[in-house]
Amino acid sequence: MERHGVPKVETMSYAVEMINRRSDILPNVTLGYEIRNDCREEDTTLWTTLTLADPCGDNTFQRHCPLHSRFNISDKENNTVVGIIGPGSSATSVFVARAAAIYEVPTVAYSASSDELSDINRFPYFFRTVPPDRFQARVMIDLLLRYDWEYIALYFSTDSYGSNGAKQIRSLAHENGICIAINTPIPNVAETNEWDDIVSNLKTSPLISVVVLFSISVPANALIEAISDGNLGRRLTFIGSDDLSGNNIIDAGYGYMLHGSLFVVPHSHPNTEFRQYWKDLEDSNITTSPWYQEFADYWKDRHGCVSMASCLFPPVSESTVINGVLAMAHALDATIAESCHASHSSCNATLSGELLKDNLFKVSFQTADGIFAFDANGDTSGKYDIWNLQKHDGKYIFQEIGQWNDSCFSNFEDIQWGPAEGANNETPISVCRETCKPGFISEPLEKRCCYGCRNCPSDSIVINETVCQKCPFKQWPDTNFTQCEPLTPDYLDWDEPAIVIVILFSCMGIMLTMLVGVEFIIHRERPLIKATSRELSVIIMCGLLLSFMTPFVIAAPPSYASCKISEIFMAFSFLLVFGPTSLKVIRIFRIFRGGKKLASRLKLISPAAQMRLLAGLISVQILISILSIFLSPSKPHYVEANLLKGSLNLYCRYGYGFVASMMYNFMLIVACCFFAFRTRKVPSNYNESRFIAISVYSTLIVFLSAVPVYFTATSVLYKVTTISTVLILNGYLTLVLLFLPKIYAVKFVGSDVNVESWRVAGAVNSTQMGNSNSVATGVDNTVAIDDSNSVNTNGAENRVAAAPQ
């Protein structure tokens, strides 16, 4: 006998006697009962059901139950079997329901939950007080989802209960993305090698830590024993169906194996009256079950208590049995009332199984859990208790930890996951999925249901951990790679060492240019200063100031205004430096070439003429800049290469107008180079052209090497520092080569020497000018042509201003 069967026997007895004591149901009618055990065997169940409808003799009983004695049933012929309460399992209920249908005897099962039994066409006389397994399967799936268990093993018994329950589990698992890595039926009797294969499969799937067990107790116990003997080497958490929630698991010594496991049990509200009745049974001497005393001795020994009143109440789910008896009683009451026209006292009613069945469908009565009723399939609604196998004071017990109703859990608390109370009580993990960092997606591996991680492109976000989605243009993933955010423009930080150096040299250049300008003003009447074309020199110094100021504009945050200003500053800084310089070197070239070949006075070499020519050069640049503003303006733009790295680096992308300006300035630089080269053989005293040549050559080299870098560099810092370096180097080269020697000569070399003027007698013919001789004013003298005079190659008066070098 199953240990939990005895409490159910007493529950049945209590429920029938309770009905007999009531006057509102079946007045003047006494219910009797006959309680039999189906031994969880299909043949025994079928035989038992048939003998209820067609009693058999003692010989038949003895053949089927040789180890048991048959209790005498008095006055059997005068009692009618009008209904059956039970049996307990789904597998045996199938046979009871089929046989009962043949004899038109309604059956109300108290724990048979297989979905197969919901087929009203096959089992028209079958009812049950527990919800069908489709609800129990839903509870199990919800438990898996609650704890993120997505990689599991499923074992089920081969009977109707296990097969149909497993079918529901597989369907719901597929819908919810839960992988059943192992899906194995377990027979009641299996060979040793079959159990070895089962354990071997578990061993080769080390990431499975949760097992769903939808089975009756006999094959389930065999499975647990095989796993225990197989030394799996890791802890498993079982989710067991309601048939496994009995004490036989604990009694079999498997508490340590299932410690922390969860069991889904149809909800049964505690019946206070019955529980008090149960406590009083031991002393009342009114027990019905002949096995009560045997059970009482076992229960007290197991729980270490001296009386049943002080012991833990057994997990009997008494409400399902009581509700079955109440449902049958209400249906009988209605049937008798219809047959006897509401009179129960003098009516010898003929009970129709068909009419009784119809009244069972109409049953409705109040219970502690609400209104009890059957639906069109003879089922009841789904409400479940969740039990947890726990260990307290060295003993394993089932502890209710919560409820489930309509896909909602409630009152979840005090779960023990094992292996021992208070130790390692962490929620198990049962997944075959690598935990992916932000920016990674899960990808299937070769092993079934297992997933690894793959990195998404840097400009993509992760959708549902499975899809890399590219962010829209000018957007970038956030730190968690869950959504795209607009990129914020990055500007140059003036704390960058390169920018600090550029600004430092720019400031030094500005100060040096201003000092040179002051010296030129102070010594503006000195012949050497006058001989350098003072007006053009002033314009050059303005260009130098502009060159040193332009890096400040270039390093500023790019905007339409700053880009246009930087374009204008660069264009005019080169123009104001190389425009006057080119005029100066061309003037020198023309003078010495004119001295050889021309007989007339040279034109356009006076200061006023030079300034008019410079004004013309500047006008061209102004026109180019105006056209650039309207036709191809410079504007802020992002570095596309950096945009692919998540940085919106803005720089000034100069338009075609800027290119035209630079080409114009480049032509001036080339002209300087050309004429500086042509004047390389002038008398050494006229060596300003050589300084110009060195300055222009150096600038041209820097210009040609740096400008391509600006347009190809992917770093805004490189772009800014490169173009700023060109401007700064040009400024320093011009200062050092064109101005500082003159300031040095004026201040430190012969500053107190009186400059002599003389007339050169006679005509200066081309032969004399062609020789590499200079006017004798001393051994180391530099001679420059005065601003106000020119060489007259026709024998006119010539004036040469000389100053010591």
Side-chain angles (χ1 to χ4, degrees):
M1 297 293 295
E2 293 185 55
R3 299 295 186 184
H4 66 281
V6 175
K8 291 188 184 297
V9 168
E10 297 297 344
T11 304
M12 177 74 178
S13 172
Y14 165 82
V16 172
E17 295 301 331
M18 176 188 66
I19 295 297
N20 288 335
R21 289 193 300 269
R22 292 176 61 170
S23 59
D24 58 328
I25 301 177
L26 297 175
N28 301 318
V29 175
T30 301
L31 292 177
Y33 54 85
E34 179 175 341
I35 299 176
R36 298 190 180 189
N37 180 26
D38 61 9
C39 301
R40 294 288 179 114
E41 295 178 2
E42 297 170 356
D43 291 343
T44 302
T45 300
L46 181 59
W47 172 79
T48 301
T49 305
L50 292 175
T51 58
L52 287 173
D54 185 16
C56 64
D58 291 339
N59 292 335
T60 303
F61 178 87
Q62 202 63 40
R63 284 198 306 271
H64 285 276
C65 303
L67 301 180
H68 298 276
S69 299
R70 185 182 185 194
F71 293 96
N72 292 325
I73 304 172
S74 61
D75 199 17
K76 172 70 179 178
E77 292 74 12
N78 295 326
N79 291 278
T80 304
V81 177
V82 296
I84 298 174
I85 307 296
S89 71
S90 296
T92 55
S93 291
V94 171
F95 293 92
V96 173
R98 293 298 298 273
I102 294 174
Y103 292 98
E104 296 186 347
V105 178
T107 300
V108 181
Y110 56 82
S111 63
S113 56
S114 172
D115 282 292
E116 180 184 9
L117 295 167
S118 293
D119 189 346
I120 194 66
N121 295 317
R122 292 180 60 198
F123 310 109
Y125 284 82
F126 182 80
F127 301 81
R128 52 184 163 190
T129 58
V130 293
D133 284 338
R134 60 180 176 271
F135 293 108
Q136 185 172 194
R138 178 74 261 180
V139 180
M140 291 180 165
I141 294 297
D142 285 349
L143 282 172
L144 296 175
L145 295 174
R146 180 183 180 90
Y147 297 108
D148 296 323
W149 294 328
E150 58 183 43
Y151 189 66
I152 65 168
L154 172 63
Y155 295 99
F156 55 95
S157 55
T158 55
D159 57 353
S160 173
Y161 170 75
S163 298
N164 286 281
K167 180 181 178 181
Q168 293 290 335
I169 291 288
R170 287 191 294 268
S171 176
L172 292 172
H174 177 73
E175 293 176 7
N176 291 273
I178 297 172
C179 177
I180 301 177
I182 298 176
N183 178 34
T184 304
I186 47 176
N188 283 344
V189 179
E191 299 295 333
T192 302
N193 61 337
E194 292 185 68
W195 295 122
D196 292 341
D197 290 341
I198 289 175
V199 175
S200 177
N201 286 340
L202 277 174
K203 286 183 177 180
T204 56
S205 301
L207 295 177
I208 293 178
S209 61
V210 173
V211 173
V212 174
L213 190 52
F214 215 113
S215 171
I216 59 176
S217 59
V218 175
N221 287 348
L223 172 67
I224 294 169
E225 181 179 3
I227 294 174
S228 176
D229 294 341
N231 297 319
L232 191 62
R234 68 179 188 276
R235 177 167 60 101
L236 294 177
T237 298
F238 289 83
I239 297 181
S241 56
D242 61 312
D243 205 63
L244 303 178
S245 57
N247 290 309
N248 58 328
I249 290 178
I250 300 175
D251 297 341
Y254 300 131
Y256 74 97
M257 280 283 297
L258 278 74
H259 182 202
S261 296
L262 302 175
F263 297 86
V264 179
V265 182
H267 176 69
S268 177
H269 194 279
N271 188 296
T272 306
E273 291 80 7
F274 171 72
R275 295 201 173 195
Q276 187 60 48
Y277 167 82
W278 174 263
K279 290 182 179 181
D280 296 338
L281 272 178
E282 189 174 24
D283 299 326
S284 64
N285 296 320
I286 59 172
T287 59
T288 301
S289 170
W291 309 282
Y292 174 79
Q293 191 58 50
E294 178 186 352
F295 175 82
D297 293 340
Y298 150 76
W299 196 252
K300 288 186 290 184
D301 179 67
R302 179 177 179 274
H303 292 280
C305 45
V306 295
S307 66
M308 293 296 287
S310 62
C311 274
L312 184 71
F313 185 78
V316 65
S317 302
E318 65 269 23
S319 66
T320 58
V321 177
I322 294 174
N323 286 342
V325 175
L326 283 172
M328 190 68 76
H330 278 86
L332 278 171
D333 186 69
T335 302
I336 293 174
E338 292 179 20
S339 299
C340 299
H341 305 290
S343 173
H344 290 72
S345 57
S346 60
C347 175
N348 186 9
T350 300
L351 297 179
S352 166
E354 181 70 21
L355 184 58
L356 181 60
K357 178 194 72 172
D358 293 341
N359 284 321
L360 275 170
F361 279 113
K362 301 175 185 177
V363 161
S364 177
F365 56 89
Q366 182 69 41
T367 68
D369 291 323
I371 299 297
F372 179 89
F374 297 109
D375 63 16
N377 295 319
D379 297 330
T380 57
S381 60
K383 187 176 182 181
Y384 290 86
D385 297 328
I386 311 299
W387 289 0
N388 179 218
L389 186 59
Q390 300 184 356
K391 187 177 184 181
H392 294 281
D393 300 326
K395 297 179 180 179
Y396 293 101
I397 62 170
F398 289 100
Q399 180 69 42
E400 182 179 324
I401 57 166
Q403 292 83 39
W404 181 96
N405 186 21
D406 194 21
S407 297
C408 294
F409 289 103
S410 59
N411 304 324
F412 253 64
E413 57 185 12
D414 299 329
I415 298 179
Q416 276 189 19
W417 295 114
E421 183 178 4
N424 194 27
N425 196 35
E426 297 179 357
T427 304
I429 298 174
S430 191
V431 297
C432 189
R433 183 186 300 271
E434 183 181 351
T435 301
C436 295
K437 299 178 182 178
F440 288 77
I441 61 171
S442 293
E443 273 197 337
L445 301 177
E446 291 184 3
K447 190 171 184 179
R448 182 173 179 265
C449 298
C450 291
Y451 294 83
C453 296
R454 177 174 65 84
N455 194 6
C456 285
S458 58
D459 60 348
S460 301
I461 60 174
V462 176
I463 304 298
N464 297 327
E465 298 184 357
T466 57
V467 177
C468 297
Q469 179 174 299
K470 185 180 178 65
C471 284
F473 187 58
K474 291 187 181 180
Q475 292 191 19
W476 201 256
D478 61 2
T479 54
N480 295 322
F481 291 87
T482 56
Q483 60 183 357
C484 296
E485 297 178 341
L487 285 173
T488 303
D490 293 331
Y491 301 112
L492 278 180
D493 188 352
W494 284 35
D495 291 338
E496 288 282 349
I499 299 299
V500 172
I501 294 173
V502 166
I503 298 303
L504 178 62
F505 276 93
S506 294
C507 293
M508 292 171 57
I510 291 172
M511 290 188 293
L512 188 58
T513 303
M514 293 176 68
L515 288 174
V516 170
V518 170
E519 291 294 333
F520 260 65
I521 293 173
I522 294 174
H523 302 287
R524 62 184 179 277
E525 297 301 328
R526 299 294 294 273
L528 183 58
I529 299 302
K530 292 172 68 178
T532 59
S533 300
R534 289 174 300 182
E535 292 79 1
L536 294 179
S537 295
V538 169
I539 300 300
I540 293 174
M541 280 190 281
C542 290
L544 294 178
L545 282 175
L546 203 57
S547 295
F548 290 125
M549 293 170 59
T550 303
F552 291 92
V553 182
I554 297 175
S559 65
Y560 284 95
S562 65
C563 288
K564 193 58 193 173
I565 292 172
S566 64
E567 174 187 338
I568 293 173
F569 274 31
M570 277 192 285
F572 280 88
S573 65
F574 283 109
L575 174 66
L576 296 181
V577 171
F578 292 102
T581 303
S582 62
L583 291 176
K584 291 176 69 172
V585 74
I586 292 172
R587 182 188 179 203
I588 296 173
F589 171 76
R590 292 181 63 218
I591 288 174
F592 282 95
R593 190 185 68 168
K596 295 179 180 182
K597 300 179 180 180
L598 299 178
S600 61
R601 183 181 181 88
L602 295 177
K603 297 179 181 180
L604 301 177
I605 62 173
S606 66
Q610 295 285 292
M611 293 301 294
R612 286 194 298 270
L613 291 173
L614 180 60
L617 296 176
I618 294 174
S619 299
V620 174
Q621 186 64 268
I622 292 174
L623 178 62
I624 294 174
S625 297
I626 293 173
L627 292 175
S628 174
I629 292 175
F630 293 101
L631 299 180
S632 181
S634 299
K635 55 187 177 181
H637 194 66
Y638 52 87
V639 181
E640 295 185 8
N642 291 348
L643 187 62
L644 299 177
K645 302 175 183 177
S647 297
L648 188 60
N649 300 132
L650 293 178
Y651 74 103
C652 289
R653 186 170 70 175
Y654 299 112
Y656 293 113
F658 175 76
V659 175
S661 296
M662 289 296 102
M663 289 301 297
Y664 179 62
N665 288 323
F666 183 73
M667 291 168 60
L668 293 177
I669 296 174
V670 172
C672 280
C673 288
F674 175 77
F675 287 104
F677 178 78
R678 292 294 303 273
T679 57
R680 69 190 185 281
K681 293 183 179 181
V682 299
S684 58
N685 285 347
Y686 297 90
N687 57 5
E688 186 178 27
S689 62
R690 298 181 181 178
F691 287 114
I692 292 174
I694 296 173
S695 172
V696 175
Y697 296 159
S698 304
T699 301
L700 184 61
I701 293 172
V702 174
F703 184 87
L704 292 176
S705 61
V707 170
V709 174
Y710 181 84
F711 289 101
T712 58
T714 59
S715 169
V716 175
L717 179 63
Y718 291 164
K719 289 177 179 289
V720 170
T721 53
T722 299
I723 201 70
S724 298
T725 301
V726 173
L727 294 166
I728 292 172
L729 284 177
N730 173 58
Y732 278 106
L733 287 170
T734 304
L735 276 175
V736 171
L737 294 173
L738 295 188
F739 292 101
L740 291 186
K742 296 177 176 58
I743 297 300
Y744 178 80
V746 169
K747 292 184 66 67
F748 303 107
V749 181
S751 60
D752 56 347
V753 175
N754 293 323
V755 178
E756 300 180 359
S757 298
W758 65 92
R759 297 178 183 273
V760 178
V764 181
N765 56 41
S766 59
T767 303
Q768 292 173 317
M769 295 301 294
N771 296 330
S772 297
N773 298 319
S774 61
V775 179
T777 58
V779 177
D780 294 318
N781 291 331
T782 279
V783 178
I785 297 179
D786 195 313
D787 291 344
S788 56
N789 300 285
S790 61
V791 175
N792 190 326
T793 60
N794 197 26
E797 181 178 77
N798 296 285
R799 179 173 302 235
V800 180
Q805 181 168 315

